Amino acid sequence: MNQQVIKNIPERVAWYFSGFVDGEGSFNVALIPRREYRMGWKIYLTFNVAQKDQTVLALMKRYFGAGRLEQRKDGVWNYSINDINALVEIVVPFFKKYHFLSASKKRNFSIFQQIVEMISQSKHLTRNGLEQIIVLRERLNEGRGRKRRYALSDYQKSRESSETNTSDSKKS
């Protein structure tokens, strides 16, 4: 599927998208506590681009054939893809072929790509795999303005408390 999507994008348009995302896009990995999940945490991946003018974003959505285009309350348009299959089959192969020029976007994409691959291989369903993903996530989008509700330390604390609860229940 991905090769067909990529082949249908004219090369000059594809390079334009790559440059546009290099400046305006982001790759994000959220860590969300979820008791009902086997590991107690959900990993939520998102590729997104925000812009006041929706023209390029609508074109990206049309060519990629995936994602959502929504207008925020502040009037800015947001195009995002968070479906793991679309990330694996479209987003990652597209940006591997039409690579970024800026060092920071190259680094962030490389980290995001590793995380996408690990999740597509279900490595997030093991303690070791989940911890590796969270460690990689800590390096994603480093610098000013980065805000994280939950970090590696939160995951480690939750693991320690679940291990304490497990050993307490075994004593009872």
Side-chain angles (χ1 to χ4, degrees):
M1 176 185 166
N2 67 337
Q3 293 304 315
Q4 194 57 42
V5 168
I6 294 171
K7 284 180 182 177
N8 287 338
I9 303 173
E11 193 164 353
R12 66 181 179 77
V13 173
W15 281 113
Y16 180 83
F17 287 167
S18 178
F20 193 84
V21 171
D22 202 341
E24 302 295 331
S26 65
F27 300 97
N28 300 294
V29 178
L31 179 63
I32 306 165
R34 291 285 186 258
R35 290 177 193 240
E36 67 275 15
Y37 279 52
R38 180 188 320 173
M39 302 306 300
W41 293 89
K42 176 181 179 174
I43 301 291
Y44 189 78
L45 305 170
T46 307
F47 156 69
N48 78 299
V49 190
Q51 191 72 25
K52 286 183 180 177
D53 184 335
Q54 72 170 340
T55 308
V56 176
L57 305 181
L59 199 57
M60 287 179 81
K61 183 180 185 316
R62 189 178 100 209
Y63 276 117
F64 285 173
R68 290 187 321 270
L69 180 59
E70 301 169 315
Q71 190 172 28
R72 301 185 319 209
K73 291 178 184 177
D74 63 1
V76 172
W77 287 89
N78 188 59
Y79 173 57
S80 62
I81 298 176
N82 55 29
D83 174 71
I84 187 67
N85 293 324
L87 293 170
V88 168
E89 296 175 8
I90 300 165
V91 174
V92 168
F94 179 84
F95 291 112
K96 280 175 73 173
K97 182 173 182 177
Y98 298 99
H99 49 84
F100 300 109
L101 295 181
S102 72
S104 63
K105 195 65 72 183
K106 283 180 184 178
R107 181 176 24 81
N108 287 330
F109 175 68
S110 174
I111 293 166
F112 186 79
Q113 177 185 345
Q114 290 174 64
I115 294 171
V116 167
E117 189 173 306
M118 292 175 78
I119 289 177
S120 72
Q121 296 169 354
S122 300
K123 291 185 177 179
H124 63 297
L125 301 177
T126 68
R127 282 186 188 210
N128 186 41
L130 181 59
E131 191 158 326
Q132 287 176 0
I133 289 168
I134 296 169
V135 167
L136 281 169
R137 174 186 174 263
E138 292 291 314
R139 296 179 24 225
L140 188 65
N141 301 319
E142 288 179 318
R144 277 186 28 187
R146 183 179 86 170
K147 295 176 185 163
R148 298 223 192 274
R149 182 172 288 167
Y150 299 102
L152 177 60
S153 59
D154 297 304
Y155 167 73
Q156 291 169 333
K157 285 177 197 169
S158 73
R159 222 177 115 182
E160 289 167 9
S161 68
S162 70
E163 288 170 3
T164 302
N165 291 341
T166 304
S167 60
D168 287 347
S169 65
K170 288 179 182 175
K171 292 176 186 175
S172 301

